Amino acid sequence: MPAALLLAEGGNATLSAARHELAAQGGALQQARALPNPELQTVLEDTRRATRSTTVQLNQLIELGGKRGARTAVAQRGEDLAQAGLSLQQADTRALVTTAFVDVLAAQEGLRLADSAQALAARASDITARRVTAGKASPVEETRARVAEASVRLELNLTRSTLASARKRLTALWGNATPRFSLAEGRLETLPELPPASELAARLAQAPTVRQAHSALAQRQAMLDVEQRRATPDVTLSIGMKRSEELGRNQAIIGLALPLPLFDRNAGNKLDALRRSDKASDELAAARIAVQTAVAAATERLATARLDVESLRQDILPGAQSAYDAASKGFEFGKFAFLDVLDAQRTLLQAKNQYLRALTEAQHAAAEIERLLGAPAPL
């Protein structure tokens, strides 16, 4: 698991895209802090040299009302939003890797169970063949044993295909289309702990989805502040010189330009920013409820899976194994029919598969909780 998580951290394309987005927001913040460029203006009056007037002036826009600071705050909130998006993607990637790795472990264990089932079926077929040869069993029972063995072989082929698909899904998370590892090392039997309710409640406020929604609200509020500050008009200061050839002297020029908010008072943009801020506030409330509901559901799944595992481990599996051993030995000595052996074998394999599914479900539920809350997956 640590190796898989490390590979995904360095090779996952979606995670890399989130990092690029964060870097791009750094550029937006740098641009937001920049001052307006000055403007150089030249005006030539009259084409005749004797009466020509030449004006050269420098115009500088002066932002008033704290617009630059407000614009910088929007960029900073955008950087915070990108950081929250990266954290969310990291949590998603860890959960995907954890789930895919558990699927590979489960598929490996499923293949081991299928091999064991084939060995059991082959042993049953061998015992049946010897009993038929000795005249103690009907040839029909041997046919049934061969059919059961063939069915187990089909399940074995399906399990191999499942393992191959699980391996490809795992390696795709770090950009490899073809798996290069031969074995995933881990223990499905190590059940994840059920987090206390107090710990879950404390971590909900820092859940990646909630943090992202909170950052989006902060950015929208900063955008609203920008639109409100635009009500203060900016001033353009002009300083220059005018050369009059006819008068034979230079004249200093000082100008001040101020827009008159007669037709455009930026009311539409302010209303748009206000409503989008309200929308972001509602989305934050919805995100909190959604995360809380999803965590509760995942916690319930984990608790149920843990109970199923304990029940299967302590009661069902030992009973099924004991019943199969007794039926197999009894059939070998002629005390039970082959149908009894088949039924006991089917029950044992079903119990083992249920145990494997319960273990997988517990690991998946734990990974889902960690994805929602944003904590690193257990290694």
Side-chain angles (χ1 to χ4, degrees):
M1 182 75 78
L5 290 172
L6 185 61
L7 286 169
E9 182 71 19
N12 185 269
T14 308
L15 200 55
S16 177
R19 292 194 186 98
H20 287 311
E21 176 63 24
L22 179 58
Q25 289 298 326
L29 177 58
Q30 177 183 349
Q31 184 62 36
R33 290 170 174 162
L35 293 170
N37 288 325
E39 180 186 59
L40 180 64
Q41 182 179 2
T42 301
V43 178
L44 184 67
E45 300 177 42
D46 202 343
T47 58
R48 292 172 297 180
R49 185 177 184 84
T51 58
R52 181 185 303 166
S53 296
T54 305
T55 303
V56 178
Q57 66 183 39
L58 193 66
N59 304 323
Q60 176 64 56
L61 178 68
I62 301 176
E63 293 181 300
L64 302 178
K67 294 186 183 68
R68 179 166 169 262
R71 187 173 63 247
T72 301
V74 171
Q76 287 175 335
R77 299 294 82 77
E79 190 174 45
D80 294 342
L81 180 59
Q83 181 62 61
L86 176 59
S87 298
L88 176 61
Q89 188 56 51
Q90 286 174 331
D92 287 345
T93 301
R94 284 195 300 265
L96 288 172
V97 172
T98 301
T99 301
F101 191 86
V102 166
D103 288 341
V104 173
L105 290 179
Q108 289 178 171
E109 182 64 18
L111 182 60
R112 190 188 68 79
L113 291 178
D115 285 333
S116 176
Q118 186 180 36
L120 292 177
R123 179 172 176 272
S125 295
D126 183 61
I127 294 173
T128 306
R130 291 202 307 267
R131 285 180 53 78
V132 170
T133 302
K136 297 181 181 180
S138 168
V140 176
E141 292 188 345
E142 183 178 6
T143 302
R144 288 173 176 168
R146 297 301 180 190
V147 170
E149 185 179 3
S151 299
V152 170
R153 280 199 299 270
L154 292 178
E155 290 293 331
L156 180 60
N157 293 334
L158 180 61
T159 305
R160 289 196 179 106
S161 176
T162 301
L163 175 58
S165 299
R167 285 160 51 86
K168 289 180 180 179
R169 285 195 301 270
L170 176 59
T171 57
L173 292 172
W174 57 75
N176 286 347
T178 303
R180 300 179 183 176
F181 66 95
S182 58
L183 180 69
E185 296 181 355
R187 289 183 56 84
L188 281 176
E189 292 82 2
T190 305
L191 286 176
E193 294 296 328
L194 189 64
S198 57
E199 178 186 341
L200 294 177
R203 292 167 59 188
L204 279 173
Q206 296 300 318
T209 304
V210 174
R211 288 174 55 197
Q212 186 182 47
H214 192 275
S215 297
L217 174 59
Q219 185 186 43
R220 286 298 177 185
Q221 290 173 337
M223 289 179 176
L224 174 60
D225 184 53
V226 167
E227 299 302 334
Q228 290 173 336
R229 291 179 183 275
R230 285 181 179 174
T232 303
D234 296 331
V235 174
T236 301
L237 178 65
S238 301
I239 300 176
M241 183 194 71
K242 181 177 180 179
R243 171 67 181 178
S244 175
E245 298 295 341
E246 187 176 8
L247 298 177
R249 63 187 180 90
N250 298 329
Q251 297 172 297
I253 295 177
I254 299 177
L256 197 65
L258 181 68
L260 300 177
L262 299 178
F263 307 110
D264 182 8
R265 297 178 179 271
N266 203 39
N269 287 336
K270 286 192 288 186
L271 180 60
D272 175 80
L274 178 61
R275 293 296 170 255
R276 292 186 183 278
S277 178
D278 293 339
K279 176 188 174 185
S281 179
D282 291 340
E283 288 175 342
L284 173 59
R288 285 172 175 160
I289 295 174
V291 170
Q292 186 175 4
T293 304
V295 168
T299 303
E300 185 63 29
R301 283 173 52 201
L302 177 56
T304 302
R306 284 177 58 88
L307 290 175
D308 291 345
V309 167
E310 292 300 325
S311 177
L312 286 161
R313 183 184 290 170
Q314 295 179 7
D315 301 323
I316 299 176
L317 277 175
Q321 185 67 53
S322 177
Y324 174 76
D325 293 340
S328 179
K329 184 174 292 186
F331 173 70
E332 190 173 355
F333 288 100
K335 295 182 179 180
F336 295 109
F338 183 68
L339 288 178
D340 296 327
V341 179
L342 281 180
D343 185 62
Q345 177 180 312
R346 189 180 303 111
T347 301
L348 176 60
L349 294 178
Q350 183 179 6
K352 288 183 176 181
N353 285 324
Q354 286 177 339
Y355 180 63
L356 182 58
R357 284 194 297 269
L359 289 172
T360 304
E361 175 66 10
Q363 300 290 348
H364 283 182
E368 177 66 6
I369 292 173
E370 300 303 331
R371 182 189 73 81
L372 292 168
L373 297 180
L379 304 183

